[in-house]
Amino acid sequence: MRIRHAAQAHETRKSNMLYWSVTSPTRDNIVGDHLYRLRYFKIPAYCPYCEDYIWGSGSVGYQCQQCLDYFHVECSLVISSGTCPVASGAKPSSSSCHVNNRSLITYDRSIPITDWSVSDVCEWLSVVNLYRYAPNFQQSKYDGVMLLTLNDEQLKHNHIHDQFQRRAILDAIKELKSREKYRPISIERFQPPSSSISSASSTTPTTLINDHGDNFICTTFYERRQCDLCEKYLYGIIHQGLQCSRCGIVVHRQCSKLPLKKCVHTNKQLECHMIIGTDFNDQPLDMKTQLPIIITRLCTTLEQMATENPSLSLIDAYRFSIESQRIAYLRKLINDNDIEKMDFKRMELSELASLVKVSLKEPGIGIIPDENYDDFLNLVNAPTQVVQEFVNNYSMPFYIDFLKFLMKHIITVWKLDYQSASMTANSKERNNSLTYDSEKLIDKLVAIFKQLIFRPPWYKIMSHARNDKDHICLLKRFIYEIDWDIERPLFQHSIPSAVLLSSHNQYQQQSLEKFPWFFNRDEMKQLNSKLAFSTTVSSQIADGEYYVRFSNDSKVLAPFTLVVQIDGQQRFIRICMNKQGQYGFSISQCYFSTIQDLINYYTQNSLSKHFPILKTDMKLTKPIQRDLFLDLRIEDDYTVIFSNIHDPHVLRITLLELTMKYNEMEQTCSALKSEYQAMITLMSEVQRSTMAYGRILTIYEKQMKLNRENIIQCQKQVEKHEFEKSYKYLETRVESFINNMQKLNDMYAEKQVKREQLYNKIESKKIEMKQYEKKIAMCMKTLEDKGIEPHEINSWLGVPDEDEPWFLPDYNREMAHSLLKTCPEGTYLIRNSSNGLYALTIVHNGLIYDCRIGRDVNQNYAFGFVTTTTTPPATNNNVSSNKNGPSDEIYSKITFSERLFYSLKDLVEYYTQHSLVEHASNLNTRLITPIKRHV
């Protein structure tokens, strides 16, 4: 490897910076109590020291064998003693490491980038600040092989027109390729000055190495910038690096924790001093709205210009992005002038819209603060009333007012577009009934603003692509359902009330699906078989038992029906909905915001109030659940219940439902445990922060005492005045520290209560899981008593015998293709699938095909081949697709083949005799040779 030698013109800079070296690190000389081992990565790991991600396939990171946390190779060279909790005496556990790293899988050997899947590529894009393009890469199915071959022309073909953005992607890929090779690092580069070595044992790493006076701010650049420490390019198109607001040095997040020269103040114009890019609550505020004035002025100007000239389209202005160089120029123009005096109407509409987007995405803290991101995401399937109450009672008024202002702006864009369409229709003397596609416009607005409003915190940035559909759904709900004190065109002109109510019913259905007493249309066969089966077991359906299903009358506004058992018969009660979206048993009695509210009310109050023919004390008692066998109590006699089931296939369904429910509970319990461990970690951090405040408070009190003595002893009035001024400042700081300590103590007490609640939930879930274990064991024993062999039971559960010559459960798609590429016609195997239950991989005409195998819940969990088709969303009037729109407008529909089997073995035996052409027209072959027999 070639050593970098700076030219004579760079000698001054070289004296101030430290450079990479070719000397291999000598780990024996490293000061620290972590016990390191080299690990290789596929999924990025979070380094808790520098708060940046470890990514790449080369020797880029270490894992501590004691606390199990991960660190960059460079970071491990500067971490001093006292940072490993296990080495400091804590009990070894998975909670010792950062929450992001607890379930991380790493490897003993380097994993080449060519082995990366599409999801691996998308996660890498997130941590290098390129998550904006994750949907594009996912849609184009760019895996590791295609990633390494990307060039400028291909990126242009993918509609990435900005040269700076294409260059940023290629720079990141170039760095990714270089990390596959060994990167020698010199330990001398990371050693502190000799004067500080003596205090290494008593000083924290931050004080020892990074006490250089820099005030780093997360900054966005619109030109390629190099790190002033390592001289490599910054990664991404947003929040690429940190810049010191004092001296102007620009570094990666990771490099900010490495040794630097002392910060020197300069008069240099810095990017992080600009209004655009600083945190929202630090920006100049509008006196009227108390919101960032740059946002309010830009949005107001856009609305005024579109109102004055109806031919201007705000939605087109937002969809069009101007060049990065132009954005950088406009940002500097705003920084150099008084915002209140600037005439923004001189700019083009697309420039103003681009500035709005830039102003929203650049600040380090988003419109929704990091600590509340998960709280908002949990509202995706919540009832409208719950979402509205959450917004109204949000504890941070500044941010909720900001969100309210932005939602008003979005709805105003919608209204202006509608009014423009109305004027166009009238000018052409069209029919009185205006055909205006609001949903298409809303989809465009959501595609623009979803990433501006919903941004995961940095330590969760990899979840950005995974949560994209939730971002879309929640923003649509904000637009359609929540009251922002602005009138929507949808209610009066744009979409007929039937369409609006249909949309309302769709959201109601989504919220109902989490209740076990609701059956959707796909579950009606399952419901009928369960009701018929109820006569098989010893207990009949009692009066008052109920469930909710879709109405058979497609003309009603609320397509739901309550079915109640009364006098041994099922009675069907139509659920009505008024124009305000409230539910009841008649239009004049619609008092409930949601159907679940209606159900809850009549579990406590008699139905006879509205139906005199019923018993006076008739209430909704016990729900008839989707899983009929899952409500067995612990005291029930399983032997009697299961022995009365004579049909083995019914027992099979029972066993499958119990097992699936147990697996769901196990996942829930695992999630609760992770939350519990995160709570403990947070409480530890709060405790450490409280202790740190205590130590700082002691130092300040000592300084105050010294100042008091100086005031008494000082003879000169000027010096005495300075000491008094310093004393007052220290007094203010001490009061601030005491308040912060009190807040931390209150937070600790609050988290302690939540921790106890989580612990009780986990223990309750464990008890419930043990009950299900007993149910499953008894059901399996009943099956064995009826002559069903254990291997057949495993086959029903979807666990084939590993001795089967065609079953390779541990093989993924790439491994299966590699194994079969030299095999003859008809050679096949079945493996576990990453996007389904199982997959059949077979050789036909020299090519290798994959067929997904799933379980059809509506057909007693039978196995069958799965086909995925993509269809555009249906509207009330027609079905249309927007070929130029975002990929989120396309929905996937999973269908099963007509031929189903109770086990994988039955499926294999059938297709050894029959052709696969009935499943796929290009597979006119049968299963000939299982892979193990071929080998």
Side-chain angles (χ1 to χ4, degrees):
M1 181 177 178
R2 181 170 55 87
I3 305 177
R4 290 183 180 174
H5 292 285
Q8 189 172 7
H10 290 190
E11 285 299 325
T12 304
R13 185 178 182 185
K14 184 176 178 182
S15 63
N16 293 331
M17 299 295 169
L18 293 167
Y19 289 83
W20 296 93
S21 172
V22 295
T23 310
S24 300
T26 309
R27 303 214 58 83
D28 296 338
N29 298 330
I30 295 176
V31 178
D33 48 12
H34 289 280
L35 187 60
Y36 295 108
R37 63 169 179 168
L38 186 63
R39 302 300 292 164
Y40 294 91
F41 302 84
K42 192 176 181 184
I43 298 174
Y46 188 81
C47 176
Y49 176 74
C50 67
E51 299 178 351
D52 202 357
Y53 286 89
I54 310 169
W55 50 269
S57 60
S59 52
V60 291
Y62 287 104
Q63 182 185 27
C64 175
Q65 299 182 56
Q66 299 177 126
C67 67
L68 304 180
D69 228 331
Y70 296 90
F71 304 93
H72 289 96
V73 172
E74 297 87 347
C75 292
S76 69
L77 297 172
V78 297
I79 299 175
S80 64
S81 299
T83 58
C84 180
V86 177
S88 302
K91 186 178 180 181
S93 67
S94 59
S95 61
S96 302
C97 64
H98 193 271
V99 62
N100 283 24
N101 298 329
R102 289 173 189 169
S103 59
L104 186 67
I105 298 175
T106 56
Y107 306 90
D108 295 322
R109 61 179 180 84
S110 181
I111 305 299
I113 300 167
T114 51
D115 287 352
W116 285 14
S117 64
V118 176
S119 61
D120 295 331
V121 172
C122 291
E123 287 172 341
W124 171 76
L125 287 172
S126 297
V127 301
V128 293
N129 304 298
L130 292 168
Y131 51 80
R132 172 183 172 182
Y133 299 110
N136 304 55
F137 279 53
Q138 200 165 18
Q139 184 178 6
S140 301
K141 297 182 180 180
Y142 283 160
D143 55 12
V145 176
M146 298 183 69
L147 180 70
L148 296 179
T149 59
L150 274 181
N151 55 41
D152 193 71
E153 289 299 322
Q154 288 175 298
L155 294 176
K156 283 183 182 179
H157 183 70
N158 283 335
H159 308 291
I160 303 175
H161 303 296
D162 192 291
Q163 183 179 2
F164 161 70
Q165 296 178 4
R166 295 198 306 272
R167 190 67 256 176
I169 296 173
L170 296 176
D171 284 341
I173 296 174
K174 183 178 179 181
E175 172 63 15
L176 181 64
K177 293 178 182 179
S178 69
R179 293 193 175 193
E180 287 192 300
K181 302 176 182 179
Y182 176 66
R183 299 180 306 146
I185 300 167
S186 173
I187 189 172
E188 287 79 9
R189 172 176 179 262
F190 302 94
Q191 286 184 338
S194 58
S195 59
S196 303
I197 295 177
S198 60
S199 61
S201 60
S202 61
T203 311
T204 62
T206 304
T207 305
L208 176 65
I209 298 173
N210 292 327
D211 187 17
H212 40 64
D214 285 294
N215 182 29
F216 284 122
I217 297 176
C218 185
T219 309
T220 296
F221 303 93
Y222 291 96
E223 60 181 1
R224 298 172 72 197
R225 292 294 295 267
Q226 287 180 310
C227 173
D228 289 328
L229 183 62
C230 69
E231 294 189 331
K232 293 186 177 181
Y233 283 109
L234 303 181
Y235 311 122
I237 59 172
I238 182 174
H239 298 157
Q240 298 99 323
L242 305 178
Q243 185 175 29
C244 176
S245 62
R246 296 168 179 167
C247 66
I249 187 174
V250 176
V251 292
H252 294 100
R253 285 178 182 268
Q254 177 194 353
C255 294
S256 68
K257 293 299 181 73
L258 301 180
L260 299 172
K261 292 287 288 182
K262 286 287 184 178
C263 180
V264 178
H265 291 260
T266 65
N267 294 323
K268 181 181 176 183
Q269 182 71 35
L270 306 176
E271 267 127 293
C272 55
H273 279 169
M274 293 187 179
I275 295 172
I276 297 178
T278 58
D279 289 343
F280 293 122
N281 49 12
D282 292 334
Q283 294 182 17
L285 300 181
D286 189 329
M287 297 299 293
K288 182 179 179 180
T289 63
Q290 291 301 305
L291 296 175
I293 190 171
I294 182 64
I295 300 293
T296 57
R297 286 222 56 200
L298 287 171
C299 292
T300 305
T301 304
L302 279 168
E303 294 170 9
Q304 290 175 352
M305 292 174 67
T307 303
E308 294 169 0
N309 186 356
S311 63
L312 297 177
S313 172
L314 286 184
I315 186 64
D316 289 341
Y318 272 114
R319 294 184 71 188
F320 179 79
S321 296
I322 62 177
E323 291 290 330
S324 298
Q325 291 181 353
R326 183 62 179 169
I327 291 177
Y329 169 77
L330 294 175
R331 190 174 67 163
K332 186 175 186 305
L333 186 67
I334 291 173
N335 183 68
D336 294 340
N337 292 275
D338 186 352
I339 302 177
E340 295 184 357
K341 296 180 180 179
M342 288 187 67
D343 185 7
F344 287 113
K345 289 187 177 181
R346 293 185 177 182
M347 296 185 185
E348 295 181 5
L349 209 66
S350 58
E351 293 178 338
L352 293 174
S354 295
L355 283 174
V356 172
K357 294 187 287 186
V358 167
S359 302
L360 291 173
K361 71 182 180 181
E362 277 199 24
I365 299 177
I367 300 174
I368 297 174
D370 291 352
E371 60 269 23
N372 298 118
Y373 172 76
D374 290 336
D375 296 333
F376 273 86
L377 214 61
N378 291 335
L379 299 174
V380 171
N381 295 318
T384 305
Q385 184 178 358
V386 173
V387 181
Q388 185 72 64
E389 290 177 357
F390 179 88
V391 171
N392 293 341
N393 301 325
Y394 189 59
S395 59
M396 305 177 76
F398 173 82
Y399 290 100
I400 201 63
D401 289 344
F402 198 178
L403 178 62
K404 185 176 181 179
F405 175 85
L406 191 59
M407 293 307 304
K408 282 185 176 180
H409 177 65
I410 293 173
I411 294 173
T412 301
V413 175
W414 175 15
K415 290 175 65 176
L416 291 171
D417 191 83
Y418 169 78
Q419 292 170 5
S420 176
S422 301
M423 294 176 62
T424 303
N426 293 334
S427 64
K428 294 184 178 180
E429 298 181 353
R430 292 183 178 178
N431 296 332
N432 294 329
S433 59
L434 173 66
T435 57
Y436 178 75
D437 193 353
S438 278
E439 290 188 7
K440 184 177 179 180
L441 176 78
I442 295 301
D443 287 340
K444 294 177 181 178
L445 284 170
V446 169
I448 293 165
F449 285 95
K450 62 180 179 178
Q451 291 187 356
L452 303 177
I453 296 179
F454 303 108
R455 183 202 308 168
W458 174 245
Y459 69 92
K460 289 184 177 180
I461 198 67
M462 285 194 295
S463 65
H464 201 293
R466 293 194 294 268
N467 295 338
D468 188 61
K469 290 184 178 179
D470 288 341
H471 296 163
I472 294 170
C473 178
L474 189 54
L475 186 51
K476 282 187 175 181
R477 295 196 64 187
F478 279 179
I479 296 173
Y480 280 121
E481 300 178 33
I482 305 305
D483 181 15
W484 303 106
D485 296 333
I486 184 172
E487 184 182 2
R488 300 175 178 84
L490 177 65
F491 290 153
Q492 292 186 355
H493 307 288
S494 168
I495 297 179
S497 59
V499 179
L500 173 61
L501 296 177
S502 175
S503 175
H504 186 91
N505 285 327
Q506 183 179 2
Y507 289 125
Q508 178 64 66
Q509 178 191 346
Q510 292 175 354
S511 61
L512 284 177
E513 288 179 348
K514 64 182 179 182
F515 293 98
W517 40 259
F518 175 72
F519 291 81
N520 60 39
R521 289 188 173 91
D522 294 334
E523 295 168 335
M524 293 310 297
K525 290 183 179 179
Q526 181 186 4
L527 170 63
N528 294 332
S529 63
K530 288 179 182 296
L531 293 176
F533 172 72
S534 62
T535 57
T536 307
V537 292
S538 303
S539 57
Q540 297 284 340
I541 297 178
D543 283 357
E545 294 191 29
Y546 66 93
Y547 63 91
V548 176
R549 64 169 176 80
F550 277 101
S551 172
N552 293 328
D553 188 356
S554 59
K555 298 179 181 180
V556 296
L557 292 182
F560 304 108
T561 298
L562 171 67
V563 184
V564 189
Q565 188 78 3
I566 301 175
D567 296 332
Q569 296 182 353
Q570 289 186 358
R571 300 295 178 93
F572 303 90
I573 304 175
R574 177 183 296 176
I575 297 176
C576 301
M577 181 174 66
N578 60 18
K579 293 182 179 180
Q580 287 72 40
Q582 295 174 316
Y583 295 92
F585 292 136
S586 68
I587 294 297
S588 61
Q589 299 169 349
C590 292
Y591 310 122
F592 305 96
S593 301
T594 62
I595 292 178
Q596 50 266 40
D597 291 341
L598 181 147
I599 296 296
N600 292 338
Y601 178 82
Y602 286 107
T603 56
Q604 306 295 326
N605 300 274
S606 176
L607 288 164
S608 59
K609 178 180 179 180
H610 303 288
F611 304 99
I613 194 174
L614 301 179
K615 300 176 182 177
T616 56
D617 59 345
M618 190 64 190
K619 302 176 184 177
L620 300 179
T621 56
K622 181 181 178 182
I624 298 175
Q625 302 184 16
R626 285 196 294 267
D627 300 316
L628 190 65
F629 306 106
L630 303 183
D631 57 351
L632 300 176
R633 297 168 297 176
I634 189 64
E635 62 270 14
D636 289 336
D637 189 347
Y638 301 142
T639 306
V640 175
I641 293 173
F642 289 132
S643 61
N644 287 330
I645 303 176
H646 304 293
D647 189 349
H649 293 302
V650 175
L651 276 172
R652 170 184 172 274
I653 298 172
T654 307
L655 179 61
L656 287 169
E657 289 182 346
L658 290 170
T659 305
M660 293 179 70
K661 184 64 177 178
Y662 178 83
N663 292 335
E664 290 176 6
M665 294 169 62
E666 191 174 33
Q667 293 176 0
T668 304
C669 189
S670 177
L672 288 173
K673 287 179 179 178
S674 299
E675 188 177 354
Y676 180 77
Q677 295 297 339
M679 188 70 70
I680 292 176
T681 302
L682 178 60
M683 291 174 65
S684 300
E685 292 175 357
V686 172
Q687 207 169 21
R688 285 196 296 270
S689 299
T690 306
M691 294 171 64
Y693 272 121
R695 288 193 294 268
I696 296 172
L697 190 61
T698 303
I699 296 172
Y700 271 68
E701 288 175 344
K702 289 180 180 179
Q703 188 63 38
M704 288 174 66
K705 181 180 178 182
L706 182 61
N707 276 20
R708 282 197 300 269
E709 294 173 355
N710 290 334
I711 292 171
I712 296 171
Q713 297 173 5
C714 186
Q715 301 298 326
K716 295 181 179 181
Q717 190 63 29
V718 176
E719 293 180 358
K720 188 175 183 177
H721 177 72
E722 290 296 326
F723 283 127
E724 288 176 348
K725 183 178 178 182
S726 176
Y727 180 83
K728 289 180 180 179
Y729 171 75
L730 292 171
E731 190 176 34
T732 305
R733 295 296 293 164
V734 166
E735 184 179 353
S736 171
F737 291 148
I738 293 173
N739 291 336
N740 289 339
M741 288 178 67
Q742 183 60 43
K743 290 179 182 178
L744 288 171
N745 288 331
D746 294 343
M747 182 189 296
Y748 187 86
E750 179 186 349
K751 299 302 180 185
Q752 196 171 23
V753 173
K754 290 185 178 180
R755 184 189 65 181
E756 294 300 322
Q757 292 174 349
L758 280 173
Y759 179 80
N760 294 334
K761 284 183 181 179
I762 292 171
E763 293 301 313
S764 174
K765 192 64 65 176
K766 286 181 179 178
I767 294 172
E768 195 174 357
M769 288 172 64
K770 288 182 180 179
Q771 295 176 1
Y772 275 91
E773 287 176 1
K774 292 181 180 179
K775 297 177 186 178
I776 292 170
M778 184 58 67
C779 187
M780 294 180 70
K781 185 178 184 303
T782 306
L783 283 167
E784 292 179 3
D785 292 342
K786 293 184 180 295
I788 308 299
E789 296 293 333
H791 68 85
E792 191 172 357
I793 296 175
N794 287 335
S795 179
W796 283 351
L797 291 174
V799 185
D801 189 348
E802 292 194 7
D803 293 335
E804 295 286 356
W806 38 263
F807 189 53
L808 295 177
D810 298 328
Y811 273 57
N812 58 27
R813 183 177 180 273
E814 291 76 12
M815 297 166 66
H817 281 226
S818 176
L819 187 63
L820 291 174
K821 65 182 179 180
T822 59
C823 295
E825 173 75 16
T827 307
Y828 68 96
L829 61 87
I830 292 181
R831 55 182 174 81
N832 291 330
S833 174
S834 59
N835 58 354
L837 190 60
Y838 295 104
L840 167 71
T841 306
I842 185 170
V843 179
H844 175 55
N845 289 337
L847 301 176
I848 301 175
Y849 295 86
D850 293 286
C851 304
R852 286 176 57 195
I853 301 173
R855 308 193 80 153
D856 191 347
V857 178
N858 300 321
Q859 298 295 332
N860 298 331
Y861 302 92
F863 290 96
F865 287 114
V866 179
T867 303
T868 303
T869 56
T870 56
T871 57
T875 65
N876 248 26
N877 301 324
N878 56 15
V879 178
S880 62
S881 65
N882 180 11
K883 295 182 180 179
N884 299 321
S887 60
D888 303 290
E889 295 185 359
I890 303 300
Y891 295 87
S892 297
K893 181 180 179 182
I894 296 177
T895 57
F896 286 83
S897 58
E898 295 183 359
R899 197 177 303 280
L900 300 171
F901 306 88
Y902 283 127
S903 69
L904 282 179
K905 187 175 181 180
D906 294 341
L907 182 148
V908 170
E909 289 179 354
Y910 177 84
Y911 285 107
T912 55
Q913 306 297 325
H914 301 82
S915 175
L916 290 163
V917 73
E918 66 180 36
H919 164 62
S921 58
N922 57 345
L923 277 178
N924 189 11
T925 185
R926 56 187 180 86
L927 307 181
I928 300 174
T929 308
I931 185 62
K932 292 182 182 178
R933 290 183 183 170
H934 170 74
V935 173

